[in-house]
Amino acid sequence: MSARITTRDTAHAATYVYVSNAEDGDIGMYTMETDGTLKPGGRVAAGEMVRPMSVSPDKRFLFAAVRTKPYTVVTYAIDRKTGALKRLSEGPLAESLPYIHVDKSGRYLLGASYGGNLVSVNPIGKDGQVGEPKQVIPTARNAHAIVTDRTNRFVYVPHLGTDQIFQFRFNAKTGKLTANTPPVVQMKAGTGPRHIIISGDNRFAYLLNELTARVTTLALDQKTGLLREVSDASALPPDSRLQPGAPRGPAGKGQAPRDLSNDIWASDLHLTPDGKFLYAAERTSSTLGAFSVDAATGKLTYLASTPVEKQPRGFRIHPNGKFMVVSGELSDTISAYAIEANGGLTLLEKYPTGRDSNWVEIVSFD
């Protein structure tokens, strides 16, 4: 028993949580204690409408994208001992990006633009400086996320407006994206592919559909990088009365705003590091749906839904799989949860946060 405690304490020796607050234009820092509770720290300025963040593989840098003109990404150095962020530089972005992702080499920042209908690649210097976009690729309506597979050879981009996943090959030496063959996976109409994550063994991708709150399991071909749909499951309880939503944006000329109060509006998903459980957030009901994962088939089985922060936009699971931090766009707090052995979530405590908290990163130094 003592050995386990020592290992756990070591894993938590230095764990920091970062939360972007869009309306306040800053990033809040928290220290995570060994029991999963948080100690609030300071905030650093970023820029109005700071939203997505990404951490370099070596954990030296945190990158944060600002979604107001001029579109920029801010690089911060992460202090390993205190978790403090030091603003180092700014770099130009091709468009307003709701999702950024540092590739596994740490040399490139990949971005997806919902309003610009494109993906982009920016080089990252050894000092963390982000350079001018070296590649900008028009894709389709509402690109919403961009991730690499575990080998860093393939890239996937869900498109909410066309119900597609774009499939790219990625050259980590040059940073160049090229279309795979076929270049897209067509999903069911009206589902709204939003976020995608890759299993630890690189055998499956899990796709969250914003407009239905269903999570699709896709098999990932190790040689070609191509995706193939195998199953799906709903993140909502069977008795939910929410209805399928529609892509969101400003009302067109002469159109009255639509009533959205009963629309499904899913936002984010993450796997536990051991791959046993998957969680998906739904904003209208302010809940997190939990699934168990079949390691052999990737199939998801719905377990339960947990009420969380109001309009949960982003959350993150600790690398040890024991704790989770959830933010809410309409909440003035963030929540820390313990992840139980059966996948259930137990609220530990709530902590003050800024306005429109929407993205969470957890950085752990062992």
Side-chain angles (χ1 to χ4, degrees), residues 202-278:
N202 210 49
R203 294 178 56 229
F204 300 102
Y206 295 96
L207 173 72
L208 178 64
N209 297 285
E210 176 176 317
L211 309 182
T212 62
R214 298 189 73 86
V215 180
T216 305
T217 300
L218 300 111
L220 194 165
D221 188 298
Q222 302 298 297
K223 293 181 179 179
T224 65
L226 299 177
L227 300 178
R228 175 179 55 85
E229 183 176 354
V230 292
S231 60
D232 80 327
S234 175
L236 294 172
D239 61 353
S240 173
R241 296 188 177 183
L242 295 182
Q243 301 295 319
R248 300 201 177 197
K253 190 174 182 180
Q255 290 182 330
R258 197 167 53 84
D259 179 10
L260 307 173
S261 60
N262 203 45
D263 278 14
I264 295 173
W265 196 25
S267 58
D268 201 9
L269 81 167
H270 292 286
L271 276 166
T272 52
D274 62 10
K276 290 183 178 180
F277 301 105
L278 183 147

Side-chain angles (χ1 to χ4, degrees), residues 32 63 197 213:
M32 182 174 279
F63 301 91
I197 55 175

Side-chain angles (χ1 to χ4, degrees), residues 8 12 15 17 30-39 318 320 322-325 335-339 346-349 351 362:
R8 182 175 173 181
H12 279 271
T15 298
V17 177
Y30 305 77
T31 301
M32 182 174 279
E33 307 291 353
T34 57
D35 60 359
T37 59
L38 303 180
K39 179 182 177 183
H318 189 286
N320 70 6
K322 295 178 183 294
F323 306 110
M324 178 191 293
V325 177
S335 296
Y337 292 88
I339 300 176
T346 299
L347 178 64
L348 297 175
E349 203 167 328
Y351 305 89
I362 298 179

Side-chain angles (χ1 to χ4, degrees), residues 108-125:
Y108 300 101
L109 184 76
L110 311 178
S113 177
Y114 185 89
N117 310 317
L118 58 81
V119 297
S120 60
V121 182
N122 291 63
I124 301 173

Side-chain angles (χ1 to χ4, degrees), residues 52-285:
M53 300 187 291
S54 187
V55 177
S56 62
D58 61 9
K59 306 176 188 177
R60 291 177 59 209
F61 305 114
L62 175 76
F63 301 91
V66 175
R67 299 189 64 188
T68 48
K69 293 183 178 181
Y71 306 121
T72 56
V73 58
V74 184
T75 302
Y76 300 90
I78 301 173
D79 188 308
R80 295 176 67 96
K81 293 182 179 179
T82 66
L85 297 179
K86 179 183 179 183
R87 188 177 180 129
L88 296 179
S89 58
E90 292 183 12
L93 295 176
E95 251 289 352
S96 170
L97 304 180
Y99 203 108
I100 58 174
H101 176 76
V102 181
D103 86 300
K104 298 195 184 311
S105 76
R107 297 175 56 213
Y108 300 101
L109 184 76
L110 311 178
S113 177
Y114 185 89
N117 310 317
L118 58 81
V119 297
S120 60
V121 182
N122 291 63
I124 301 173
K126 292 182 179 179
D127 59 356
Q129 172 72 49
V130 177
E132 294 272 353
K134 65 179 299 174
Q135 194 176 17
V136 178
I137 304 173
T139 51
R141 285 203 317 277
N142 309 141
H144 214 311
I146 185 165
V147 300
T148 62
D149 80 321
R150 300 288 175 179
T151 71
N152 211 37
R153 295 184 299 134
F154 305 106
V155 166
Y156 306 102
V157 185
H159 285 68
L160 192 148
T162 55
D163 302 304
Q164 294 171 319
I165 306 170
F166 275 57
Q167 307 179 113
F168 292 96
R169 292 180 175 272
F170 181 62
N171 185 325
K173 292 183 178 179
T174 65
K176 187 175 183 181
L177 291 170
T178 53
N180 209 332
T181 308
V184 300
V185 181
Q186 186 65 52
M187 308 304 293
K188 186 179 178 182
T191 51
R194 178 183 171 92
H195 281 188
I196 190 168
I197 55 175
I198 309 298
S199 64
D201 60 9
N202 210 49
R203 294 178 56 229
F204 300 102
Y206 295 96
L207 173 72
L208 178 64
N209 297 285
E210 176 176 317
L211 309 182
T212 62
R214 298 189 73 86
V215 180
T216 305
T217 300
L218 300 111
L220 194 165
D221 188 298
Q222 302 298 297
K223 293 181 179 179
T224 65
L226 299 177
L227 300 178
R228 175 179 55 85
E229 183 176 354
V230 292
S231 60
D232 80 327
S234 175
L236 294 172
D239 61 353
S240 173
R241 296 188 177 183
L242 295 182
Q243 301 295 319
R248 300 201 177 197
K253 190 174 182 180
Q255 290 182 330
R258 197 167 53 84
D259 179 10
L260 307 173
S261 60
N262 203 45
D263 278 14
I264 295 173
W265 196 25
S267 58
D268 201 9
L269 81 167
H270 292 286
L271 276 166
T272 52
D274 62 10
K276 290 183 178 180
F277 301 105
L278 183 147
Y279 302 87
E282 199 288 314
R283 285 175 284 188
T284 300
S285 60

